[in-house]
Structures are given as C-alpha cells and as structure tokens.
Amino acid sequence: METLIGLLVAAPLLGAGVLLTGGRRFDRTGHLLGTLFALLSFVFGMVLFVNMLGKNADDRALHSHLFTWVPVEGFQAQVGFQLDQLSMTFVLLITGVGTLIHIYSIGYMEHDERRRRFFGYLNLFLAAMLLLVLADNYLLLYAGWEGVGLASYLLIGFWQHKPSAATAAKKAFLVNRVGDMGLSIGIMLMFTTFGSFAFSNVLPRAAQAAGTQHATITGIGFMLLLAACGKSAQVPLQSWLGDAMEGPTPVSALIHAATMVTAGVYLIVRSGAIFNAAPDAQTAVVTVGAVTLLFGAIVGCAKDDIKKALAGSTMSQIGYMIMAAGLGPIGYVFAIMHLVTHGFFKAGLFLGAGSVMHGMNDEVDMRRYGGLRKFMPITFVTFGLGYLAIIGFPGLSGFFSKDKIIEAAYAKGGTEGWILGSAALLGAAITAFYMTRVMLMTFFGEKRWVPDAEGHEPHPHESPKSMTVPMIILAFGSVFAGGLFSINSSFVKWLEPVTGHSEGNSPVSTGTVTAATMVCLVIGVGIAWLMYGRRSVPAVAPRGSLVTRAARRDLLQDDFNHVVLVRGGEHLTRSLVYLDHSLVDGVVNGSAASVGGLSGRLRRLQNGYVRSYAVSMLGGTAVVVAATLLMRAV
Amino acid sequence: MNPANYLYLAALLFTIGAAGVLIRRNAIVVFMCVELMLNACNLAFVTFSRLHGNLDGQVIAFFTMVVAAAEVVVGLAIIVSIYRTRHSASVDDANLMKL
Amino acid sequence: MTGSMSLAAAAYQTSTGEAVQFWVLGTVAVIGALGTVLMKKSVHSALSLAGTMIVLAVFYLAQGAYFLGVVQIVVYTGAIMMLFLFVVMLVGITAADSLKETLKGQRWMAALCGLGFGILLIAGIANASLHSFAGTGQANAADGGNVQGLAHLVFTKYVWAFEITGALLITAAIGAMVLTHRERTEERLTQREQAEARVREGKQVTPLPAPGTYARHNAVDVPALLPDGSISELSVSSTLRERGQIRDVSRDAMRRLAELDQRSDEWLERAPEQPELEHDGERAPASAEEGAK
C-alpha cells in the first residue's frame, strides 16, 4: 500500500515528463495520455481510500519513506510521504476533480495547437499539488508548494501571445513569491527551533513548547499565514486571483476548485498544532479570513466578466475556509468540509462558465449574454445546481458546510464570535446576491448578444459530451456531497483523528443560525431579482455608485499596490541609489582617492635611484641598531 | 691598549664605506666601498675571535672572503655588461625601475 | 712553533708595540678608506683601498690570524683589487667619476644616516664591557698552529658551509661568463661586404685624410687643411676631437704666426720673406673662388 502513495504522485509526474519532453509524436494522443495519467492517479487514490476505510480510525495513517534528500549531519532532509485522513480527502478531491477537468479540457482545448503542452502542465499541476498534500515534512511540502506556483505560472500564461495573459502570469508568480518567502522563513524558524522539518516532530513539540517559546511559535504562525495568504489569494496578497482569469477556463476551475488556492487552507489545518499554540496568529488568521470573505464578495458583485465574478466568489469562499481554520479545533473540520463541497460546486460553476463561453465565441461579458437557458439546457441545469449549492440552498452541499462555519464562528464566543458570525452571515447574503446576479444575467432575461470583433453572430449551442459529462458529475457532487458528509457527522468523525475537533459553546442555537442564514439568503436573492430579474439589464454598465466603481476595480487593490508598493518601491530604490552613489560610492571612491593621493606622494620615494634606496636601508639599519641598544639598556 | 680599539676601527671603516656607497656614483667605486665594508666586518670577526679565544670568528671571516670574491666576480660582470649596453658606469643612469 | 707561541703570548696582553702599531697603521687605514671614498679618479680609489686592505692584513697577523692575514694579501689585495683595476681600465674614465652630487638631499641624508649609524655602532661597542679577553694563542696551539686549527674547523664543523661556498664559487664563475658572454647571431661581414656597405651608405668612401700641415705641424693633433684654408675634421681622431685637444691651425692662427714671424724678423732686423707669405695668403682665396665657380 505504501508504494501506491509514491505512484500517486509519480503517475501525473510521469505524464508531465512524457508530454513535455516527448515532442510532437504525442500531439495526437497527448490529451488522452494526460487524462489517463490523471485517472490512474485517481484510481490509486480510490484504492488507498478503500484500504483506509477498512482500518480503525486511529490506525489509518500510512507512512512511506523514500530516501534521504540531504544527508548532512544536523540537517536531515527526508523525502517521505504521509497519507492520513486529511491528505486522503485532498488526494480524492485533487485527483477526482482534476480528472474531470482533464476530461473537460479534451473538448475545451480541442482547437488549440498546443493542447499536448497544456495537458502536460495540467499533469504537472496535479503532481505538485499531490506532493504538497502528501509530504510528511515541511521541506518536501515546500517543494510541492513551489511546484504549484510554477505550474500555475505556466497555465495562467498559457496563452502567452496575449500580453495580458503574460502579465497576469507574472503577477501571480510575483505575488506568490511574497507568500513563498513567508513559508520559507517559517520553515527556517521551525528548523532552528525544533531542529527538524517532519510533521511528526514539529507539531507535537510546537504544542509542548507553547508556553516557553511563545514568541517564536507566534512568528512561525504569522509566516505560515503569510504563505497561505499568497497561495490562497487572501487579503493582502489577493490581487493575483482576478487577473489569473486570463488563463484557459479549465485552469481557472483547477486553480479555484481542486488545487492552488486550497493549499493555504491545507497548510493552516495541517499546522493546526502551531496555530493552537499561538492565539495571536489565530486571531490574525480569522481576521484575514473574515476581511477576505467580505472583500471577495463585494468584488464579485460588481464584475460583469463572468469569470471574474466567479473569481471574487472563490476569494470569498476561501475566506470562509481560512476563517474556519483560524477558529481552531471547532473550525478545522468544517474548513475542510467546505473546501471539498466548494471544490465540487466551484469546479462545476467554472466549467459551466467555460461551456457558456464556448458557445458564445469566448465572450465573457455577462451583459452580452441573457436568455441562454433554452440554448444550453445541460449547462443551465448543472450551473444552476452549482449556484444553489454555493448560496447555501437547503439540502445542497453549500448549505451544510457554510452553515457549520457560521455556527462555529458564533461558537468562538465573546465579541469576537459575534463579529465573525455576523460577517459570515453578511457574506452569505452578499453571496446569494452576486450569484443570483450571475445566474439572472447569464441564463434569464432577453438576449443581449452582439457579434464579435470579426462580425460572427454568436450561435449558442450545447457543448460536446466530453464537457457536459464532467459538469453533470460535478453537479451530483454539488448536490449530494454536503448531505453525505453530514449524515451522522461522518466527515467530522473521519477527520477528527488528524485535526481534532471540539463542538464549542455556541451562544446561538443551530436552528437560529439556520433561520438567520435563510433570511440572509432570501434577502440577497430578493435584491438581486429586484435589480436584475424584474428590470432589464442594460447592455452597457451604468456608472454606478462610488462603491460599485471601486468594486469594479477590485476595491482598488491594484491601485493600492501600485501607490504603496510600486511607487514606494521606486522611491525607496531611488533613495537607495542616491545613498549608494553619494555615501557608499563616496566612501569607496574617497578611500580610493586618498589611497591614490597618498600613493602619489609615496611614489616619489620610488625614484629609481639605487643610492636613495641605500640611504633608506642604512637609515632602517640605524633604527634597528638603536632599538636593539635601547632594548638592552632597558 | 684594549683590543676593543680594533672594533672601533672596524665600525669607523664600515661607516666610511657605507657613506661611500651613498655618495659615489661610479658603480666600480661603489663596489670598492662595499668591499671596504666587508673588510671592516672581517676585522671585527677576527677581533672577536681573539676576544673569545677560539677560531670560529676567523672561519667566518674566511667564508666572508670567499663569498666576497664570488660577489665581486658577478658584480663586476654586471657592471661590464651594463657599461656595454648603456655606455655608462653610473648607478644613477640605471634608474628605469620606477614609476 | 715557538714563534707562534711568542706571538700568541703577545696577544694576551696588548703590548706597547702593538698599541703603537695600531695607532700608526689605524690612521693609515682610515686615511685609505677616506681616500677610497673621496678620490675623484677610480684608479686612485682602488689604490687607496689596496692600502687599507694591506693594513688590515697586518692587523690580522697581529691578532694571531696568520692564515687570514696571508689570504687577505693574496686574495684581496692581489686578486680582487687587480680585478677592480682591470675593470676600471675596461670601462675607462667616465662622467660618473665627478663628485658633484646630482640627487637632491642625497648628501645630507647620507651624512645624517652615516653619522647616526656610526655613532650608534661605536656607542654599542663602548656599552659592551670588554675589559678582559682570551687571546688566540691557546686556540692556535691546540691543533698545532693557526692553519691547522682553521682547517680542523673548516673540514669538520663547517664542512657543509664549505661545500656550499664551493658551489657558490662555481655558480659565480659561470654567472660571470654568462653575463659577459655575447652570442654572435649573424655571420661576420667579409671585407668585400664591408666595402660595398660603405659605398651604399655613401658616407666616406675614400681613406680618411692624414693629419698635419707643413713640416712643423705634422703631429696627429693637427687637422689637415683643405684647399680653402679650413680644417678637415676627418683628419684627426674623434677621441681628440671630443676632448678638445686639436691644435687649431686655421688661417687666422696662421696669420698670427706670420705676424709673429714678421715682428721677430724686424726685431732681428732681418729681411722679411715677403713673397713667400703673400704667396700663401693669396692662393687660398683663389682656390676658394675656383671652388665656387
């Protein structure tokens, strides 16, 4: 069984290697090969899952040590895998949703010349993400972490002939670097504090050392949070996610549902012991989560680009997860549960959006859609189910997972709990609003189609089977996953041995929370219907209020970055250059000049006349004789 | 008379030789002054030999003579070859080793 | 044996004789040394140095170092000083012999350093308490004589140094040969080639004119006169020309001589040999005019 864990990672890695180095001979079969390797990985995952189910709850973790990476005295970097319930959940999500996206991409990328390369990158993405979640130490996790960053860079910039795509890829990579820096510093801190990278070593000792090394552990917690912010697009490192929509739609689905953005949540849940020992870091985590969930939701409300609206939604939903993860043992399980259900419905939504774009000549502006439900029935139904799931319609996946998070936020207790719970509730209302808006603008109302730049009239049509089948499967997931997880609290029991769980002491009863959520849901949907359902949608966006305009510009995040970081950086650089020129160069040149001047004077001693050298020698000898005599006299 | 007077004489001769090296420009005379300095040293060695009552000082003086002979041979050869190329025996004319 | 014993005994106690000898010969040595430094001509310097060395040889003998005393005379005064004179001859007298100082401040610095060094040395010797001394008599007697004693030391205790000096001497000899040896890199020119080269250069094809004019001025330092009365530079040695040792017999000088002759003739009341002088005076301009035509 342990060998299978290695194969789990090796299969997509092999696929990436074959597809990326194999050259043109795989052009015809590359997409099938890539899908096959992803599917193979999923099958391995399923086998391991079934095997794991057959064991006792406390005895389910598998360990597989491959080799020692850096065998240096005092610095032992191991390559080993650890497959416990948490990793298993991620493996199934990554390989399952990943495989579906592979299948979808066969149809979506059919006309792209570089499809083989695309599938190679997808496989690389899967392999890196699997490495990340299967690593049994932080160093190997970091390798996977960087691999994910690389693969996302390659995929976001896949259409590199578009300058916007190239820029977006660069932006994503650079913003991620900031987070990666946090992770690497965190790992270094861990090593200096605990002398090891292994989860099995670091985490228990972090729990023990809570009292004695509080500051260090809090520092590690903040660094890990910074890393999570980068990968999971949380405030303040969220700016890359919207631009990442420049990539092909399956990439967006993959990044938002199964890989990449979930890595931050994984990191925080996996490092739960560290955060439990550092309450300040936990507070920071919940703050980041709460701010991001509102931030993303507001951005999602104002976007007319369907993919960017969904991107705002992702930011918001990941904010929920991060907030839940920051709540400690009462929230870990629900963070992961929401992550899985979100994986289903967000993948479904993105694939649906891709399907719509596929039928509409790659148009992304929702103001140019309208009334598509009759032309794309399957897309409409699957997208609609995803929509119901994400707004938390009773009985569907999102209902179970999001409610639990809101409940857990209240269970945090005190003023903090009230603020977090209310923020989450408000987020739920806004979610209902913007998702209803997307739904209404896309599938309802009158047609607002316009010919594209080359004058082709759009002929909306249903997508091919290879695209609709994954959407249908994901729709099933969106509908049933949450309920399945909640029957008999099965998901809580499943994850509890790894993450720990506590019920918390909620000041509000479950029924009240559910009722409040329902009210928020109805209000959100109602307002959206009033604004976009009853009235016709103008083809050109109205100017809108100050908030709307700010939200259209991603709540000025890029402007903020530009003013503070870019301008500030430029000024800093300029002043440093000035310092360098005046002070550093001044000292260097000044010392050089003084040495040169002194040498110029001393050079005159070196006049080439042997006799003056002889005078110096005799003078020196006289001094030595004098010194000798003096020493003897003393 | 105290034999230390020989040492004073040696010191005097040595100093005169050194001054000659510094003052004279003719390479041959400079060489002679060096020889004078060596001889002054030899006188000192012989006097030391007498003061200590053993012959080691004389052996050293003997070796000094041998080395001086070798030195003179090579030194004069150098002077001759310099004179051939530069038509000058002045030590001041050989002043290319400078900046 | 007995002679050496008596001399060794004298070395214990500096006798009055030795003291007198020291003060007399020491003065000579210092004068010789000063002469070496201050004499303008290097030959004189070499001779002064030889004198000092001989005095030193006597001092060696007086202090019981018989072997060294002899070697000093034979090797130093005999061989090395002769080598010096040989090189002085080879190099010749040059402008370097001038005692005029050309380096700025050199003489002052030399005087300062020399004085300081000398005073320090003498102070150092005076500082050492040298009131009793062993003398070489015992040491010389131990092996049956000074030479035997030295040989004993040189071939036992200092044998390694001795061998090294042998190597040094060989190296020095070879070094001197290498330094003074000049490799001939091209074929020596034949007489014919030399003649052809001279014609090609067009400098002076004919033999150089012989020096001297008239029967009374046929010495090598008198340049020949050309038909116009000017002198021919080529007829005298370049060495003499550079030294300015040419006796000028150009026309003005000739005229002055003629006037002197005339005055002496008048004083002696002799009839002047007028036609002969005029003949000489008029012929030269005529030939110059001919040359101009």
Side-chain angles (χ1 to χ4, degrees):
Chain A
M1 276 300 136
E2 280 83 357
T3 339
L4 268 186
I5 306 175
L7 290 177
L8 206 58
V9 181
L13 197 61
L14 182 68
V18 167
L19 293 182
L20 293 178
T21 59
R24 298 195 171 281
R25 74 192 68 140
F26 289 113
D27 270 357
R28 292 166 151 274
T29 55
H31 51 291
L32 297 176
L33 264 177
T35 313
L36 185 72
F37 280 115
L39 189 65
L40 202 61
S41 190
F42 179 63
V43 170
F44 291 150
M46 282 311 285
V47 171
L48 284 164
F49 179 58
V50 171
N51 177 56
M52 189 179 274
L53 282 180
K55 292 186 186 171
N56 280 333
D58 294 330
D59 197 23
R60 279 174 171 164
L62 282 177
H63 293 275
S64 154
H65 180 250
L66 292 188
F67 57 93
T68 304
W69 182 9
V70 185
V72 175
E73 178 70 32
F75 183 91
Q76 297 284 335
Q78 309 288 348
V79 172
F81 295 131
Q82 170 181 346
L83 183 73
D84 54 13
Q85 288 91 326
L86 180 62
S87 305
M88 193 73 240
T89 314
F90 272 90
V91 165
L92 289 181
L93 178 73
I94 294 162
T95 54
V97 175
T99 307
L100 291 177
I101 290 169
H102 272 77
I103 296 168
Y104 177 88
S105 303
I106 295 174
Y108 192 86
M109 299 297 284
E110 197 175 352
H111 304 297
D112 199 295
E113 285 177 2
R114 297 157 69 226
R115 184 164 63 166
R116 169 182 58 85
R117 186 171 288 273
F118 182 77
F119 275 84
Y121 292 157
L122 283 186
N123 273 352
L124 182 65
F125 211 157
L126 285 195
M129 194 65 196
L130 286 170
L131 184 65
L132 198 163
V133 299
L134 284 171
D136 75 345
N137 62 65
Y138 278 101
L139 201 64
L140 196 59
L141 179 144
Y142 187 69
W145 189 272
E146 292 293 346
V148 168
L150 168 69
S152 69
Y153 170 78
L154 293 171
L155 284 168
I156 293 169
F158 186 71
W159 287 325
Q160 67 221 169
H161 52 86
K162 289 199 294 183
S164 58
T167 313
K170 252 190 293 183
K171 187 174 177 185
F173 198 74
L174 284 176
V175 175
N176 265 294
R177 293 309 311 168
V178 180
D180 296 347
M181 184 55 76
L183 183 56
S184 56
I185 293 173
I187 292 175
M188 291 174 205
L189 277 175
M190 272 175 214
F191 185 76
T192 49
T193 316
F194 306 117
S196 168
F197 302 115
F199 295 146
S200 57
N201 197 348
V202 172
L203 298 177
R205 287 176 61 182
Q208 286 167 14
T212 51
Q213 287 171 306
H214 186 73
T216 316
I217 292 179
T218 307
I220 296 174
F222 271 102
M223 287 300 125
L224 294 181
L225 172 63
L226 182 64
C229 282
K231 256 322 167 245
S232 295
Q234 299 295 295
V235 175
L237 299 180
Q238 81 289 16
S239 62
W240 66 271
L241 192 68
D243 291 353
M245 292 302 115
E246 290 295 338
T249 311
V251 175
S252 308
L254 197 59
I255 288 179
H256 289 239
T259 59
M260 188 91 180
V261 295
T262 58
V265 183
Y266 171 78
L267 184 68
I268 291 180
V269 173
R270 174 60 81 190
S271 313
I274 293 173
F275 284 98
N276 291 344
D280 294 338
Q282 263 185 332
T283 312
V285 174
V286 288
T287 312
V288 165
V291 169
T292 311
L293 83 87
L294 292 174
F295 188 103
I298 292 168
V299 170
C301 292
K303 290 288 184 187
D304 288 332
D305 179 329
I306 185 169
K307 285 175 73 180
K308 293 203 169 164
L310 290 176
S313 152
T314 302
M315 211 187 284
S316 168
Q317 299 299 317
I318 302 284
Y320 272 107
M321 299 169 209
I322 294 280
M323 189 182 82
L327 292 173
I330 46 176
Y332 290 142
V333 173
F334 302 126
I336 300 300
M337 185 162 145
H338 192 55
L339 194 150
V340 175
T341 56
H342 174 257
F344 283 117
F345 54 68
K346 187 48 64 64
L349 287 171
F350 263 113
L351 296 189
S355 174
V356 170
M357 286 160 59
H358 194 72
M360 294 291 289
N361 292 347
D362 286 333
E363 179 63 73
V364 290
D365 190 349
M366 292 191 289
R367 293 183 187 279
R368 307 274 162 82
Y369 292 165
L372 288 176
R373 65 180 185 280
K374 293 170 199 149
F375 301 91
M376 307 179 170
I378 302 175
T379 307
F380 170 59
V381 171
T382 55
F383 196 94
L385 288 172
Y387 154 72
L388 290 177
I390 195 173
I391 64 173
F393 193 79
L396 273 67
S397 292
F399 170 75
F400 294 103
S401 53
K402 199 187 286 178
D403 257 23
K404 290 286 185 196
I405 291 178
I406 296 169
E407 216 176 294
Y410 279 117
K412 177 84 177 168
T415 327
E416 201 186 345
W418 280 103
I419 294 171
L420 293 175
S422 311
L425 265 183
L426 183 61
I430 304 174
T431 306
F433 170 77
Y434 68 73
M435 283 314 298
T436 313
R437 175 174 172 269
V438 169
M439 198 67 195
L440 289 173
M441 284 173 87
T442 307
F443 292 103
F444 293 90
E446 73 277 26
K447 302 174 189 173
R448 295 182 300 275
W449 315 335
V450 288
D452 63 9
E454 285 135 36
H456 298 298
E457 194 72 29
H459 296 289
H461 55 86
E462 192 51 86
S463 300
K465 281 246 168 54
S466 66
M467 290 168 71
T468 52
V469 169
M471 284 153 63
I472 293 166
I473 297 172
L474 287 169
F476 272 101
S478 319
V479 174
F480 299 113
L484 213 63
F485 291 161
S486 295
I487 295 168
N488 203 13
S489 304
S490 56
F491 197 77
V492 175
K493 284 178 187 160
W494 162 254
L495 271 186
E496 201 176 349
V498 183
T499 60
H501 183 64
S502 70
E503 275 305 326
N505 191 10
S506 179
V508 226
S509 71
T510 312
T512 322
V513 170
T514 311
T517 318
M518 281 307 110
V519 172
C520 287
L521 174 67
V522 170
I523 292 171
V525 173
I527 293 174
W529 187 77
L530 283 175
M531 286 177 69
Y532 299 97
R534 250 177 39 167
R535 280 184 269 162
S536 61
V537 181
V540 179
R543 193 153 176 273
S545 67
L546 203 63
V547 181
T548 317
R549 273 180 285 152
R552 279 197 194 122
R553 303 193 59 172
D554 298 320
L555 284 178
L556 304 177
Q557 61 192 15
D558 285 338
D559 305 80
F560 176 80
N561 286 349
H562 186 75
V563 170
V564 175
L565 300 177
V566 178
R567 290 271 177 75
E570 279 174 0
H571 283 295
L572 183 68
T573 313
R574 243 177 252 146
S575 49
L576 284 180
V577 166
Y578 174 74
L579 263 184
D580 185 47
H581 279 310
S582 58
L583 196 69
V584 178
D585 286 6
V587 168
V588 171
N589 292 344
S591 54
S594 54
V595 168
L598 197 64
S599 311
R601 301 274 156 78
L602 287 176
R603 192 173 72 167
R604 290 183 199 160
L605 290 179
Q606 197 78 11
N607 52 11
Y609 293 114
V610 183
R611 289 191 296 142
S612 32
Y613 301 162
V615 169
S616 331
M617 280 171 67
L618 187 65
T621 319
V623 169
V624 170
V625 171
T628 316
L629 288 179
L630 270 178
M631 287 309 289
R632 290 178 66 97
V634 172
Chain B
M1 187 197 76
N2 193 328
N5 286 352
Y6 285 112
L7 294 179
Y8 291 122
L9 178 65
L12 194 59
L13 292 181
F14 188 92
T15 310
I16 292 171
V21 170
L22 302 184
I23 290 169
R24 294 306 297 256
R25 270 182 293 154
N26 189 335
I28 301 165
V29 180
V30 169
F31 242 99
M32 289 182 207
C33 292
V34 171
E35 291 304 317
L36 183 60
M37 289 160 78
L38 285 168
N39 271 284
C41 290
N42 275 354
L43 179 60
F45 275 126
V46 169
T47 310
F48 287 139
S49 166
R50 186 186 188 191
L51 290 178
H52 289 290
N54 60 33
L55 297 180
D56 290 48
Q58 294 185 17
V59 173
I60 301 297
F62 171 66
F63 282 132
T64 310
M65 281 183 188
V66 176
V67 172
E71 176 233 343
V72 163
V73 167
V74 175
L76 288 178
I78 291 173
I79 289 174
V80 167
S81 64
I82 287 180
Y83 183 78
R84 259 193 212 156
T85 53
R86 305 180 70 91
H87 296 286
S88 162
S90 167
V91 289
D92 285 1
D93 286 348
N95 64 348
L96 290 177
M97 292 275 280
K98 64 173 178 185
L99 284 166
Chain C
M1 192 65 205
T2 47
S4 70
M5 278 303 287
S6 64
L7 272 167
Y12 274 104
Q13 198 75 32
T14 46
S15 58
T16 325
E18 193 185 344
V20 170
Q21 176 198 303
F22 175 80
W23 290 115
V24 173
L25 289 183
T27 316
V28 174
V30 171
I31 290 170
L34 288 173
T36 309
V37 174
L38 298 176
M39 286 290 187
K40 196 174 173 186
K41 291 196 170 159
S42 42
V43 180
H44 297 163
S45 288
L47 289 175
S48 309
L49 184 61
T52 305
M53 283 178 173
I54 290 170
V55 172
L56 289 184
V58 174
F59 284 160
Y60 292 168
L61 291 170
Q63 301 204 69
Y66 309 117
F67 180 68
L68 281 184
V70 173
V71 166
Q72 171 84 2
I73 290 176
V74 172
V75 173
Y76 254 123
T77 330
I80 295 183
M81 287 322 297
M82 288 314 110
L83 194 58
F84 267 110
L85 285 175
F86 184 72
V87 173
V88 167
M89 246 169 56
L90 199 66
V91 169
I93 300 152
T94 66
D97 283 336
S98 154
L99 278 174
K100 202 178 171 218
E101 185 55 61
T102 47
L103 295 187
K104 196 179 151 198
Q106 171 76 10
R107 195 155 281 183
W108 286 108
M109 289 299 291
L112 192 71
C113 289
L115 262 180
F117 182 75
I119 289 169
L120 278 168
L121 266 190
I122 289 168
I125 296 166
N127 202 25
S129 51
L130 300 166
H131 297 299
S132 62
F133 61 97
T136 41
Q138 207 106 47
N140 278 345
D143 280 302
N146 176 256
V147 178
Q148 286 91 332
L150 276 183
H152 187 201
L153 278 176
V154 165
F155 292 114
T156 54
K157 192 173 172 186
Y158 295 101
V159 69
W160 177 237
F162 183 72
E163 285 171 5
I164 294 288
T165 48
L168 180 74
L169 281 172
I170 288 176
T171 316
I174 292 174
M177 277 164 63
V178 169
L179 277 169
T180 49
H181 178 70
R182 228 189 295 180
E183 193 87 27
R184 178 171 285 282
T185 51
E186 53 201 7
E187 198 82 0
R188 184 190 281 275
L189 293 175
T190 61
Q191 208 166 13
R192 184 185 180 82
E193 281 166 342
Q194 281 176 330
E196 280 170 355
R198 206 183 303 162
V199 172
R200 224 177 292 126
E201 283 167 11
K203 267 160 99 183
Q204 176 77 33
V205 182
T206 54
L208 293 171
T213 48
Y214 312 119
R216 53 207 269 208
H217 289 304
N218 59 354
V220 287
D221 61 339
V222 179
L225 285 178
L226 291 173
D228 61 351
S230 63
I231 58 171
S232 168
E233 293 270 340
L234 291 172
S235 59
V236 286
S237 156
S238 60
T239 313
L240 294 178
R241 227 183 297 148
E242 273 179 26
R243 284 186 188 168
Q245 288 176 334
I246 303 174
R247 202 165 321 162
D248 190 7
V249 284
S250 59
R251 268 182 62 196
D252 290 341
M254 288 304 296
R255 182 155 294 151
R256 272 202 299 277
L257 199 67
E259 282 166 6
L260 188 70
D261 279 351
Q262 195 180 7
R263 262 183 273 127
S264 60
D265 284 348
E266 281 168 4
W267 193 69
L268 291 171
E269 294 178 7
R270 256 196 302 186
E273 297 165 9
Q274 196 73 18
E276 200 184 334
L277 188 74
E278 272 182 14
H279 172 75
D280 180 56
E282 280 173 13
R283 214 170 62 180
S287 66
E289 278 168 36
E290 272 172 31
K293 278 169 192 172

